[in-house]
Amino acid sequence: MASVLEDPTLERHFKGHKDAVTCTDFSPNRKQLASGSVDKTLMIWNLAPKARAFRFVGHQDAITGVQFSPSSNLVATSSKDRTVRLWTPSIKGESTVFKAHTAAVRSVAFSHDGQRLVTASDDKSVKVWSVHRQCFVNSLSQHTNWVRCARFSPDGRLIASCGDDRTVRLWDTSTKHCINCFTDYGGSEMFVDFNPSGTCIASSGADSSLKIWDLRTNKLIQHYQVHSAGINSFSFHPSNNYLISGSSDSTVKILDLLEGRLIYTLHGHKGAVITVAFSRAGDLFASGGADGQVLMWRTNFDTKSYQEVLQQHSRRSTPDPPPHVTDIRPRGPHLHHPQPTAIQVSSVLPSNINFYYGSRVDGWMGDESAGRAGVTAGSQTGAGSRGRGRREEEEGGRGQTHPLEVLSGHPSSLDSTLRHIVQQLDILTQTVSVLEERLTLTEDKLKECLVYQSQILRDKKGVCMTK
């Protein structure tokens, strides 16, 4: 099994779109990759070697969203032509058109049981559709500006939406009420999604920041500021441990959510990266952008358990194992400063790909010509950490590798001690979360009592004045 420290590598690139690629999604059966474009076409790329691709035409304007159904037998697309289409991803290319929005539809997503669709639109509404009955079901309307994205939670009980009104809203699908609204944003929010376990939501937008909120405590638990331009899309790894983001700064970045830091910057697109998506297994991810290309990368990330990842990380040169994303407390922005790394990472790339490694993650000054992709590995921690790194360029070596070297200075007894400490910290963190919730309830009760008491005093004053 691949090591958690191995590099992502560019596997394939797909060319067929005539304009910017706006959305991508892998089929759950791992056989196909779908992409939508400003050129109004849906492409279904078959991942088997030398298999032909399908081009579907039907939308009258740019396609803005695409997603496979959980069974892989349907593909949903949204478009600026105000419609949603359900396609059969086969050579026939049959589709059904859904109409209810009165403006451009910006996103589309299936519920995890495949029975419903949720869409977001410039008509300021979020709409839910029945896949089986192929009809509109209900509308959610509290946004005050264009809605850019909407997603179901893994259990289907919640919907998260975001938009140009600079809010992220959480909806109860049974009552159809907005149950929470996050407003701590400096610009339009472009993308929102739940993590695979459904305990957190993340959002990104024009202010180039990415924020992760714990839904159990309604607390901001992670805040990343690693891009230099707006973040158009992101995707959680199925393990909950990683996240990829695509930005108008032309890069794809990979975040380690366990350690709360940036670990890779990928250069492969010329122009904005508009969409990124992990495969359901997490072994692949795709990126698409303004250059009209779809790039498919292999991650080499293990879907390890939390304890296995801690064991891997405890062999590094840092004595402090990282907390899990669902357990850590709120923190400030992760400023984009590199940190020294004692890891020399191996990589195998095609002969027409150049590989860049080092701890510089804030930019790449090389020539991004057609057919070239760059990978920059780096560290991301809190403000104030600085360090030196090294940079290597492989001159077209086919199949060249560098050995993986991990500096280890901790005995196995220290490993077990560190794991025990982390377990105790997890318990302590959970206890603090419970206490915070109880404190919040107590504060609410006190506020109610004070309001009631002030009302009684006003009523008494009124009675005295009347007498």
Side-chain angles (χ1 to χ4, degrees):
M1 183 174 277
S3 167
V4 75
L5 297 176
E6 290 183 3
D7 285 342
T9 54
L10 181 63
E11 284 249 317
R12 295 173 67 181
H13 67 276
F14 303 95
K15 291 184 178 180
H17 286 296
K18 299 176 182 178
D19 209 329
V21 177
T22 57
C23 47
T24 53
D25 190 45
F26 285 91
S27 63
N29 62 15
R30 305 180 59 172
K31 293 181 178 180
Q32 295 175 315
L33 170 64
S35 61
S37 170
V38 176
D39 66 10
K40 310 176 189 177
T41 66
L42 166 68
M43 295 291 295
I44 303 292
W45 312 92
N46 290 300
L47 301 184
K50 298 183 179 179
R52 64 181 297 182
F54 301 134
R55 182 193 302 272
F56 298 138
V57 179
H59 281 293
Q60 303 302 308
D61 206 337
I63 295 177
T64 56
V66 65
Q67 195 173 88
F68 278 93
S69 65
S71 60
S72 301
N73 64 338
L74 292 172
V75 177
T77 56
S78 57
S79 172
K80 287 186 177 181
D81 65 7
R82 306 181 183 183
T83 68
V84 175
R85 284 180 179 259
L86 273 182
W87 306 80
T88 303
S90 65
I91 195 169
K92 293 182 179 179
E94 299 172 344
S95 68
T96 303
V97 182
F98 293 177
K99 295 181 179 180
H101 284 291
T102 59
V105 187
R106 294 289 179 175
S107 77
V108 62
F110 280 94
S111 59
H112 284 246
D113 60 7
Q115 298 300 308
R116 293 170 294 168
L117 287 172
V118 62
T119 55
S121 171
D122 287 359
D123 62 12
K124 306 178 186 178
S125 73
V126 174
K127 295 189 186 298
V128 179
W129 313 73
S130 169
V131 174
H132 177 68
R133 290 183 288 139
Q134 297 186 352
C135 65
F136 164 71
V137 176
N138 64 273
S139 187
L140 308 172
S141 303
Q142 283 192 27
H143 281 284
T144 59
N145 208 329
W146 294 355
V147 189
R148 295 286 186 171
C149 185
R151 291 288 187 271
F152 280 104
S153 62
D155 59 12
R157 294 187 298 176
L158 300 174
I159 290 174
S161 61
C162 67
D164 286 5
D165 59 2
R166 302 186 179 187
T167 67
V168 173
R169 291 183 178 272
L170 208 59
W171 310 83
D172 187 318
T173 56
S174 59
T175 65
K176 303 174 182 57
H177 292 155
C178 179
I179 59 175
N180 208 340
C181 181
F182 302 98
T183 58
D184 187 19
Y185 299 100
S188 298
E189 289 302 292
M190 307 298 292
F191 201 85
V192 67
D193 202 2
F194 292 85
N195 69 338
S197 63
T199 58
C200 299
I201 59 169
S203 64
S204 65
D207 63 352
S208 73
S209 70
L210 187 144
K211 297 180 179 180
I212 302 178
W213 303 80
D214 191 325
L215 296 179
R216 298 162 296 183
T217 60
N218 292 331
K219 301 289 187 181
L220 176 67
I221 57 173
Q222 288 191 339
H223 178 194
Y224 295 94
Q225 197 85 37
V226 294
H227 285 285
S228 59
I231 301 174
N232 301 309
S233 177
F234 61 81
S235 180
F236 281 99
H237 190 267
S239 67
N240 281 323
N241 297 339
Y242 304 95
L243 181 144
I244 53 174
S245 58
S247 167
S248 295
D249 64 8
S250 304
T251 66
V252 175
K253 293 184 185 284
I254 303 179
L255 302 173
D256 183 334
L257 300 182
L258 292 174
E259 293 192 348
R261 69 186 183 99
L262 173 69
I263 55 175
Y264 291 107
T265 295
L266 309 182
H267 300 268
H269 289 280
K270 292 188 291 184
V273 181
I274 303 174
T275 175
V276 291
F278 271 115
S279 63
R280 301 302 196 274
D283 57 334
L284 299 170
F285 69 89
S287 60
D291 56 6
Q293 288 194 99
V294 178
L295 304 182
M296 188 174 75
W297 309 76
R298 182 165 295 279
T299 62
N300 295 333
F301 296 153
D302 287 340
T303 53
K304 294 184 177 180
S305 68
Y306 178 36
Q307 292 299 327
E308 288 175 322
V309 172
L310 286 182
Q311 288 179 356
Q312 180 76 34
H313 285 227
S314 67
R315 290 195 294 271
R316 296 187 179 187
S317 57
T318 170
D320 299 320
H324 194 270
V325 63
T326 58
D327 295 328
I328 65 174
R329 304 315 308 154
R331 60 178 68 180
H334 295 265
L335 300 180
H336 199 175
H337 294 306
Q339 175 180 317
T341 176
I343 300 169
Q344 195 171 5
V345 192
S346 65
S347 174
V348 180
L349 289 173
S351 59
N352 66 331
I353 305 301
N354 281 356
F355 171 70
Y356 296 88
Y357 167 74
S359 63
R360 175 172 177 171
V361 295
D362 55 348
W364 177 55
M365 301 304 293
D367 175 25
E368 294 187 3
S369 57
R372 167 181 287 187
V375 182
T376 308
S379 299
Q380 178 65 34
T381 58
S385 60
R386 298 183 180 276
R388 295 178 296 106
R390 52 195 300 272
R391 173 167 168 165
E392 297 176 358
E393 180 174 343
E394 303 205 84
E395 300 292 344
R398 181 182 298 272
Q400 294 182 8
T401 62
H402 290 288
L404 176 68
E405 299 177 2
V406 180
L407 300 184
S408 175
H410 305 293
S412 58
S413 60
L414 182 56
D415 290 350
S416 60
T417 303
L418 290 172
R419 288 197 298 274
H420 177 72
I421 292 172
V422 170
Q423 290 172 356
Q424 297 301 314
L425 287 174
D426 287 346
I427 296 172
L428 180 60
T429 302
Q430 294 171 8
T431 304
V432 170
S433 296
V434 172
L435 291 175
E436 283 185 345
E437 291 178 4
R438 291 181 179 177
L439 181 60
T440 301
L441 290 173
T442 304
E443 289 176 346
D444 292 341
K445 291 293 183 183
L446 285 174
K447 289 179 181 178
E448 290 177 5
C449 291
L450 290 173
V451 170
Y452 181 68
Q453 186 176 13
S454 62
Q455 184 64 42
I456 292 175
L457 290 174
R458 283 198 298 270
D459 291 344
K460 286 183 178 179
K461 288 182 180 178
V463 171
C464 292
M465 291 178 66
T466 303
K467 290 181 177 180

